[in-house]
Amino acid sequence: MTPSVSPLAPGLWGVLATPFYGPALAVDTESLRREVQLYTGLNAAGMVVLGVFGEGAALSSEEQELTVRSVARDAGTCPLVVGISARSTAPALEQAVAASRAAGSSLAALMVQVNSPVPEVLAAHLSAIHEATGAGIVLQDYPVASSVHISAEQILAVVERCPFITAVKSEAPPTALAIARLTRGTRIPVFGGLGGVGLLDELAAGAAGAMTGFSHPEGLLAALDGFRKGGFHEARAAFAPWLPLANFEAQPGVGLALRKEVLRRRGIIADASVRPPAPSLPPELSDLIEAQLAAVRMEVV
């Protein structure tokens, strides 16, 4: 690890959804503030801005900067990871420099997606971003978004070449297997994602925590606290009431729209709109949301 960066703290790193309003779907900073308050109220280890489910790729450069500045202003001492949506080095450098400037002292790391399975190519990409910003890097392996498939062995080769990597976010199913292989080969913290659907197995495989979004992050925190106190069985008992809702929100294609609608019904964001081409909420699933929430309310004491 280079002297200027440190491994990310274990625990819950909440991925923020980016709320919009009005016919132009402008960034809603007031709703964003309430979302930040949700995580700071839970004493989360940190927050992730402009992640894949934060629709970072759908924002203009000015909107990305506005979003990061707004979160940094409201986050207090809570550290931030900022996602970089570009996968080619030149635009990624532009985004990284702007993100670092906007986040200021709140920046814990930049999250960069795998853009090549070739360790030398990926390491060069990450090195360029680190050298331009001085920031630590969270390496995100999310083939659904990147269309790049990379093995645990190749990721470990990149980590060996890049001492400024502060964490790996492993989202290539089967995630527990990938995390087990990664944690055997590095002391860098490895986090699970994918809405927390595999969290229990990921923790058993050595994950340092959850770096993901969920409409009820208190459920993720309950699982993490349970695992810390009593291992797998206590974590399983704590997360069992929440897992059906996490699975519901993780449905391919419509997961973002579902999560935003649940956040709207919680009063955290004012509008559940997503930016095209992301699909909006299917009306056929709308009534199921209340059924899911009612079940959680009955089971969680």
Side-chain angles (χ1 to χ4, degrees):
M1 188 66 60
T2 56
S4 59
V5 298
S6 301
L8 292 192
L12 173 61
W13 288 76
V15 176
L16 300 172
T18 303
F20 304 118
Y21 74 95
L25 297 181
V27 174
D28 180 359
T29 56
E30 290 302 314
S31 291
L32 189 59
R33 175 181 292 114
R34 290 192 293 272
E35 201 175 352
V36 169
Q37 290 171 342
L38 172 64
Y39 282 99
T40 56
L42 293 172
N43 292 318
M47 288 177 283
V48 180
V49 196
L50 305 183
V52 173
F53 260 36
E55 297 178 84
L59 303 182
S60 69
S61 299
E62 291 77 12
E63 290 171 326
Q64 290 176 353
E65 187 167 349
L66 169 65
T67 301
V68 175
R69 285 191 185 280
S70 297
V71 173
R73 177 196 63 211
D74 298 328
T77 59
C78 188
L80 304 179
V81 168
V82 182
I84 305 301
S85 57
R87 290 192 290 276
S88 295
T89 302
L93 286 173
E94 291 182 359
Q95 290 182 5
V97 170
S100 299
R101 181 175 58 244
S105 61
S106 297
L107 185 69
L110 299 169
M111 185 164 67
V112 182
Q113 293 183 37
V114 168
N115 72 344
S116 171
V118 180
E120 294 81 5
V121 173
L122 179 53
H125 177 64
L126 302 178
S127 295
I129 294 172
H130 170 67
E131 289 167 7
T133 62
I137 301 293
V138 175
L139 179 58
Q140 182 181 23
D141 177 21
Y142 188 19
V144 169
S146 69
S147 299
V148 177
H149 296 271
I150 187 170
S151 69
E153 291 73 23
Q154 289 166 322
I155 290 176
L156 290 171
V158 173
V159 170
E160 182 68 24
R161 287 174 167 84
C162 301
F164 48 82
I165 291 177
T166 61
V168 175
K169 187 180 181 186
S170 181
E171 299 184 280
T175 54
L177 175 60
I179 288 171
R181 289 173 174 172
L182 290 170
T183 55
R184 283 203 304 263
T186 181
R187 298 180 67 181
I188 296 297
V190 181
F191 292 85
L194 299 181
V197 295
L199 178 58
L200 298 175
D201 297 323
E202 291 164 358
L203 291 172
M211 184 179 288
T212 192
F214 181 38
S215 64
H216 288 69
E218 51 267 48
L220 301 173
L221 194 61
L224 295 173
D225 288 345
F227 191 83
R228 178 175 53 83
K229 294 174 182 176
F232 178 86
H233 293 290
E234 191 160 336
R236 185 180 187 280
F239 198 44
W242 303 99
L243 188 52
L245 179 59
N247 282 326
F248 181 71
E249 288 187 15
Q251 294 179 76
V254 297
L256 176 59
L258 288 169
R259 183 174 300 160
K260 280 190 157 184
E261 175 60 16
V262 179
L263 288 170
R264 186 193 69 80
R265 295 189 188 194
R266 293 194 71 183
I268 294 169
I269 65 176
D271 190 313
S273 297
V274 297
R275 279 196 173 172
S280 58
L281 177 66
E284 295 86 349
L285 296 180
S286 183
D287 290 343
L288 291 176
I289 293 175
E290 187 52 42
Q292 288 281 354
L293 295 177
V296 170
R297 287 193 291 267
M298 288 179 61
E299 294 185 51
V300 176
V301 179

